[in-house]
Amino acid sequence: MITPPPPPSTPPQIELTVSATKIRSNDHEGILITIKTLIFLVLSRCHAGYFRITLSLCCQTLLWKTLKDPPENAHVYRKMLGVFPSAAFILLWSLSLITLATLSFLYILRCALFSNMVKNEYLNHIGVNYLFAPSISWLLLLQSAPFFTPKTMYYLYLFWLFVVPIFVLDLKIYGQWFTKGKRILSTVANPASQLSVVGNFVGARAAAQMGWKESAMMMFALGMIHYVVVFVTLYQRLSGNSCLPTMLKPIMFLFIAAPSMASLAWDSISGTFDFSSKMLFYLSLFLFLSLVTRPKMFKKSMKKFNVVWWAYSYPLTVLALASTEYAQETKSSIAHLLMFLLSALSVMVSVVLMVYTALNTNTLLPLDDACDPTIVTIGPVTTISEVNLVASSETTTTESN
């Protein structure tokens, strides 16, 4: 009998109290203090979970690159999906690059200025898995780059730059899973744990495209063994996994992402979508049907917009990518119809999420984010518009361990 994990300890609280005072238009010092306060507020809330957005955008870019160049004698459904203009693909790739570069820069600043918060993310059983997300996003964007091929030196240098953090995190987290008492896998396992194995599959696929079969096999084997362990662990204790907040239920869709990406990785390693890739694709398709037939499980998490909604898009897009390779291999009309439906669903979900995010930019940094292992309380900020500039000026920051 597996004992339930102990309740998480209360994270340190950072309280920012901002009092409203009047600042004249020539009071530059007060304006700078206000700007500094807002920047620090953004950095304190911008945890690694926001890379869900870049995971989805970068994977969607890779899907568009795959679909815009249909092979010879392609099925009619594949040709229909290949109508994406090149300008639209370049625009999406540029949007993904700008978003990823911006989030990466903000997170680097967070590491430098709020190292304690980053440490809390690492110690959090859910947040630690999203530390893989920046490297996964960059590798996906690298594979969809329209400017250089996997055989160039630029690709090689960037590959190592993004793979090394994944391997370092593997050493730390996988080692903790079977050597550390309170951080063994049976205690900290949750659906987000699958991100740690997805990173290995993405790296394996990128290595295989460069022709590095041995490196690709090594990363694939490392990811596959740990995926089996994580999957079995979650299957055994999923009903008792009450430590997952209701708001984070969408990350259950990561059950689809891991086998889908594994099938794509093995396809690149073996050179064909063989029986192993097909079995992994069938598993991901079954898990997809299992989740979409239980909408009540996600009902409460959809009441209020949160960045966690982006957890729907990335797994769907990876499944759509796997379906393109499956359809190309089988060449059947049913497989191509499945590819068309999954690809259309993926694009639709991504577009809806972009629109919702654009309409709810004021709630992108909520104070009660269930995924953030830190708690930040903000006092009221009052802004009065008169003849003189009125803004917030006096800031008091108190940090307690």
Side-chain angles (χ1 to χ4, degrees):
M1 180 177 179
I2 300 177
T3 58
S9 57
T10 303
Q13 294 188 359
I14 297 178
E15 183 176 350
L16 300 179
T17 305
V18 183
S19 61
T21 59
K22 293 184 178 182
I23 303 175
R24 299 185 182 278
S25 57
N26 58 355
D27 191 351
H28 300 291
E29 182 179 355
I31 297 176
L32 291 177
I33 291 175
T34 302
I35 295 175
K36 183 179 179 181
T37 300
L38 295 177
I39 293 175
F40 273 48
L41 173 61
V42 171
L43 295 180
S44 66
R45 303 307 305 168
C46 189
H47 52 79
Y50 283 87
F51 283 96
R52 294 186 187 94
I53 299 175
T54 58
L55 279 175
S56 301
L57 290 178
C58 295
C59 195
Q60 190 68 214
T61 304
L62 185 59
L63 176 63
W64 282 35
K65 180 182 180 181
T66 304
L67 295 177
K68 77 180 184 68
D69 297 320
E72 296 182 1
N73 301 322
H75 194 275
V76 61
Y77 291 128
R78 182 66 181 268
K79 292 180 179 179
M80 290 174 61
L81 291 172
V83 298
F84 293 116
S86 298
F89 165 70
I90 296 298
L91 180 62
L92 180 60
W93 191 89
S94 302
L95 174 63
S96 303
L97 175 63
I98 293 172
T99 305
L100 181 54
T102 302
L103 279 177
S104 299
F105 176 71
L106 291 176
Y107 199 77
I108 291 173
L109 290 180
R110 177 182 170 91
C111 293
L113 301 176
F114 295 94
S115 57
N116 287 337
M117 289 187 174
V118 178
K119 182 180 179 180
N120 289 334
E121 288 186 73
Y122 176 76
L123 296 176
N124 183 269
H125 67 289
I126 297 177
V128 65
N129 300 287
Y130 284 94
L131 297 179
F132 288 89
S135 295
I136 296 174
S137 300
W138 280 112
L139 284 172
L140 290 171
L141 192 66
L142 179 64
Q143 293 176 52
S144 63
F147 307 113
F148 46 83
T149 64
K151 303 298 182 181
T152 61
M153 292 301 296
Y154 295 107
Y155 195 101
L156 172 63
Y157 293 146
L158 291 174
F159 169 80
W160 281 112
L161 179 64
F162 304 141
V163 163
V164 168
I166 293 178
F167 189 72
V168 172
L169 283 171
D170 283 345
L171 289 175
K172 295 290 291 183
I173 294 177
Y174 293 167
Q176 290 176 350
W177 281 355
F178 64 87
T179 60
K180 279 200 173 182
K182 293 184 178 181
R183 295 183 65 81
I184 59 176
L185 182 60
S186 60
T187 302
V188 301
N190 63 88
S193 300
Q194 296 172 102
L195 268 181
S196 62
V197 299
V198 168
N200 290 283
F201 296 143
V202 175
R205 187 172 189 264
Q209 290 178 342
M210 292 191 302
W212 291 16
K213 299 294 184 179
E214 294 301 318
S215 299
M217 279 295 298
M218 185 271 291
M219 296 196 69
F220 180 84
L222 184 64
M224 198 65 207
I225 292 299
H226 284 87
Y227 169 66
V228 172
V229 176
V230 171
F231 185 76
V232 172
T233 303
L234 291 174
Y235 222 108
Q236 288 179 333
R237 66 189 294 271
L238 191 59
S239 60
N241 194 11
S242 58
C243 59
L244 187 67
T246 302
M247 184 61 68
L248 296 183
K249 288 294 184 181
I251 69 176
M252 294 282 292
F253 268 70
L254 287 175
F255 274 101
I256 306 169
S260 297
M261 185 54 71
S263 68
L264 289 171
W266 185 251
D267 173 47
S268 298
I269 293 172
S270 63
T272 179
F273 206 82
D274 57 12
F275 292 112
S276 299
S277 296
K278 289 179 181 179
M279 286 190 295
L280 290 166
F281 173 70
Y282 293 147
L283 174 61
S284 58
L285 189 61
F286 171 78
L287 293 173
F288 168 71
L289 295 175
S290 299
L291 290 173
V292 297
T293 54
R294 291 167 175 81
K296 291 184 179 180
M297 186 168 58
F298 308 98
K299 185 177 180 180
K300 291 184 179 179
S301 63
M302 300 299 293
K303 290 183 178 180
K304 183 180 179 182
F305 175 78
N306 192 287
V307 69
V308 76
W309 287 13
W310 282 91
Y312 293 119
S313 177
Y314 168 65
L316 284 175
T317 308
V318 181
L319 181 60
L321 271 169
S323 70
T324 62
E325 300 297 334
Y326 174 74
Q328 182 62 27
E329 178 67 23
T330 60
K331 302 185 184 304
S332 68
S333 298
I334 296 178
H336 279 85
L337 178 60
L338 178 64
M339 175 202 65
F340 180 84
L341 294 176
L342 289 174
S343 300
L345 178 62
S346 170
V347 173
M348 181 184 68
V349 170
S350 298
V351 171
V352 170
L353 286 172
M354 289 182 196
V355 173
Y356 261 92
T357 303
L359 296 177
N360 294 273
T361 53
N362 57 328
T363 61
L364 276 179
L365 300 172
L367 303 181
D368 55 347
D369 194 344
C371 186
D372 193 357
T374 59
I375 298 176
V376 178
T377 305
I378 310 294
V381 180
T382 306
T383 303
I384 306 172
S385 177
E386 297 178 350
V387 178
N388 297 326
L389 175 65
V390 179
S392 304
S393 66
E394 183 180 351
T395 305
T396 304
T397 304
T398 305
E399 179 174 356
S400 59
N401 293 325

